Amino acid sequence: MARILSQTKSAAVNPLKSSQPLGAALAFLGVEGAMPLFHGSQGCTSFALVLFVRHFKEAIPLQTTAMDEVTTILGGADNLEEAILNLKTRTKPKLIGVCTTALVETRGEDCAGDIADIKLKRAEEIAGTEVVLANTPDFDGAIEDGWAKAVTAMIEGITRPGEQARQPKKIAILPGWNLTVADIEHLREMVESFGLKPVILPDVSGSLDGTVPDRWVTTTYGGASVEDIRELGKAAQCIAIGEHMRRPAEVLWRLTGVPYVLFQSLTGLKGADRFVSLLSTISGAAVPAGVRRRRAQLQDALLDGHFHFGGKKIAIAAEPDQLYQLATFFTGMGSEIAAAVATTDMSKILEKVPAESVQIGDLGDLEALAASADLLVTHSHGRQAAERLGIPLMRVGFPIFDRLGSQHKLTILYQGTRDLVFEVANIFQAYRQAPTPEELDPLRKRETPDGPRSSPLTRH
């Protein structure tokens, strides 16, 4: 079990984590016709918007209540009401996801009460639009915590409670924040190949997949529908991916009775096998030939790639669930985790990370711990540390703003694990230094009783 080392510095050096409101907004962006709303100052939203646009290279719908110094002192309920009514009039969203920021959380505003009052007073004006609140202070937690809180809030606020008639082919899937657009698309295809119908919440593959809509849309233009969220109780099974999704799955179970299975990672042969076996059990169908073929391809990739991984030292900095996902992948390939840095200590999964210790910290901590590493694994802000250390960087997580196509990189199940094996092995091969003449010929300067003798390979 890994030792968790708490943060002791009073300031972040090259910050690693992104905030809870950003994570909640990302989850709301996975719902069709949604508009995330930051309840706070203009600057909070502007910074998050810049990060989203640089990472996804897409137009991002994101608004703010724009609190000023007066409303900060007297309370922002009026700003919140005005923002909701303006959004309803101008953009006609199906869902407004309210994300609180440090400004209102520090003041101690009763945002839940304010929204309840707005729904009561303005019921007719906001009819047809769901308003959901996620309490996400910037000063606590990180992106995965905000994502999980937003999903929990949507289930609590929208899903119809009580036992309902189950649809045996319907599967509710609650993906973790670290699953890319490609991951979710592949996940859907895998479930559908067994004859099952997946309902994915949130589904960023429908709204942030890089397509160009045929008309201007002021909200998200794809993802899980509000009606899908409302009818989650009809699913025969819920599958949650990542420890941070345990809470939303438990809420769904308590609310509707839908049983859930938690996968802490879908990367690697073992996790993929368990997932495929579960789908086969639920559907009662044999594993399709195409899935068996991809498994065989992964087995071959593991045989081809393990020569490049053995004995390598890896330094990783990521959110807790992604840290666990990557660390188990690398150790499964024969590598050693030389440094593990996480954004927050709020997740129990950190104890299962296959490393001697996990440091809660920033990229400055990663740089200090990674001097002897062969590979640095983190987001784009780790590029300066990689350059100073002379170590290659594998970009993962959020944000990745200096590369194209990060959301279309597959990392899960058989095909995604195979792609990861190839990506890392190719990085190691590309950065392998050419051997010196001495390394090629260890006898070049051997000692003899009569003095140094040149190697036969150097004689003319």
Side-chain angles (χ1 to χ4, degrees):
M1 186 171 70
R3 293 183 296 114
I4 313 302
L5 307 178
S6 300
Q7 175 66 275
T8 57
K9 296 187 297 187
S10 56
V13 180
N14 197 0
L16 168 64
K17 72 176 181 179
S18 296
S19 67
Q20 277 201 83
L22 188 145
L26 181 57
F28 288 129
L29 289 172
V31 178
E32 183 183 10
M35 177 64 73
L37 174 65
F38 275 21
H39 188 22
S41 66
Q42 184 67 46
C44 297
T45 306
S46 299
F47 186 66
L49 185 60
V50 167
L51 285 176
F52 277 139
V53 171
R54 294 184 74 191
H55 179 82
F56 290 103
K57 311 293 191 294
E58 305 293 338
I60 303 293
L62 189 61
Q63 293 295 330
T64 178
T65 55
M67 292 175 64
D68 56 19
E69 61 274 12
V70 175
T71 53
T72 299
I73 302 281
L74 300 179
D78 291 341
N79 284 51
L80 182 58
E81 180 177 348
E82 184 179 358
I84 291 173
L85 294 176
N86 283 340
L87 288 176
K88 175 62 177 178
T89 302
R90 296 177 181 179
T91 66
K92 296 179 174 56
K94 298 176 183 176
L95 170 71
I96 297 176
V98 180
C99 315
T100 61
T101 63
L103 192 63
V104 294
E105 290 285 348
T106 304
R107 186 183 178 279
E109 290 194 25
D110 181 14
C111 296
D114 292 341
I115 290 177
D117 289 341
I118 294 169
K119 287 181 177 180
L120 187 63
K121 290 191 304 181
R122 304 287 190 170
E124 186 176 340
E125 293 164 273
I126 63 174
T129 297
E130 297 285 349
V131 181
V132 174
L133 169 68
N135 290 104
T136 51
D138 305 68
F139 51 76
D140 191 24
I143 189 171
E144 77 172 29
D145 303 295
W147 171 282
K149 285 183 178 181
V151 178
T152 302
M154 285 188 279
I155 293 173
E156 289 178 331
I158 302 175
T159 301
R160 183 178 289 114
E163 293 279 349
Q164 300 175 49
R166 297 278 192 267
Q167 297 179 10
K169 297 295 184 181
K170 184 175 181 179
I171 305 297
I173 298 179
L174 307 179
W177 81 274
N178 52 307
L179 268 63
T180 65
V181 165
D183 288 336
I184 294 177
E185 288 179 342
H186 186 52
L187 197 63
R188 178 186 293 103
E189 292 169 359
M190 177 69 80
V191 174
E192 289 176 344
S193 71
F194 283 85
L196 300 171
K197 180 184 177 183
V199 177
I200 302 173
L201 176 70
D203 182 6
V204 295
S205 72
S207 56
L208 297 171
D209 58 343
T211 56
V212 180
D214 55 3
R215 57 187 176 83
W216 172 248
V217 182
T218 53
T219 61
T220 56
Y221 55 83
S225 70
V226 170
E227 188 61 26
D228 285 339
I229 303 172
R230 186 172 288 114
E231 301 300 331
L232 281 176
K234 293 182 179 180
Q237 180 73 55
C238 173
I239 298 175
I241 304 166
E243 183 63 34
H244 63 294
M245 299 308 289
R246 184 184 296 275
R247 166 71 175 162
E250 288 179 344
V251 168
L252 180 62
W253 171 65
R254 286 200 301 267
L255 198 66
T256 65
V258 175
Y260 73 90
V261 176
L262 179 74
F263 288 84
Q264 292 170 333
S265 174
L266 290 182
T267 300
L269 185 62
K270 185 176 179 180
D273 279 349
R274 182 174 166 235
F275 183 76
V276 169
S277 296
L278 176 63
L279 296 182
S280 181
T281 301
I282 295 172
S283 65
V287 178
V291 176
R292 293 179 181 273
R293 185 168 182 269
R294 285 194 289 270
R295 187 181 191 276
Q297 290 174 339
L298 173 57
Q299 288 178 305
D300 184 69
L302 294 174
L303 290 171
D304 295 341
H306 82 277
F307 298 103
H308 303 282
F309 284 78
K312 290 291 194 298
K313 295 182 178 180
I314 314 297
I316 309 173
E319 297 278 333
D321 270 307
Q322 189 168 44
L323 176 62
Y324 174 81
Q325 173 195 16
L326 294 167
T328 52
F329 165 73
F330 279 107
T331 54
M333 292 296 296
S335 300
E336 173 190 347
I337 306 303
V341 180
T343 57
T344 173
D345 60 357
M346 297 176 69
S347 177
K348 294 181 179 178
I349 198 65
L350 293 178
E351 297 176 355
K352 297 183 179 181
V353 172
E356 184 177 333
S357 62
V358 176
Q359 176 67 58
I360 308 302
D362 51 37
L363 292 175
D365 295 311
L366 179 69
E367 185 173 351
L369 296 169
S372 63
D374 298 295
L375 179 66
L376 217 60
V377 182
T378 188
H379 53 60
S380 289
H381 288 300
R383 65 196 188 284
Q384 297 97 337
E387 184 177 350
R388 285 191 290 266
L389 294 172
I391 299 171
L393 171 65
M394 176 182 172
R395 290 165 173 81
V396 299
F398 180 92
I400 300 176
F401 49 77
D402 56 347
R403 293 292 185 273
L404 287 176
S406 60
Q407 280 303 302
H408 297 282
K409 185 165 72 172
L410 196 57
T411 65
I412 63 169
L413 300 176
Y414 302 128
Q415 191 172 333
T417 305
R418 183 198 66 181
D419 291 352
L420 276 180
V421 171
F422 292 155
E423 180 184 2
V424 177
N426 287 336
I427 291 175
F428 285 142
Q429 290 189 89
Y431 279 82
R432 185 171 57 192
Q433 296 183 355
T436 63
E438 288 77 11
E439 291 171 332
L440 289 172
D441 179 18
L443 303 179
R444 186 180 181 90
K445 291 184 178 181
R446 63 177 178 172
E447 295 292 331
T448 65
D450 300 325
R453 183 191 302 176
S454 62
S455 166
L457 296 178
T458 62
R459 296 174 187 170
H460 298 284

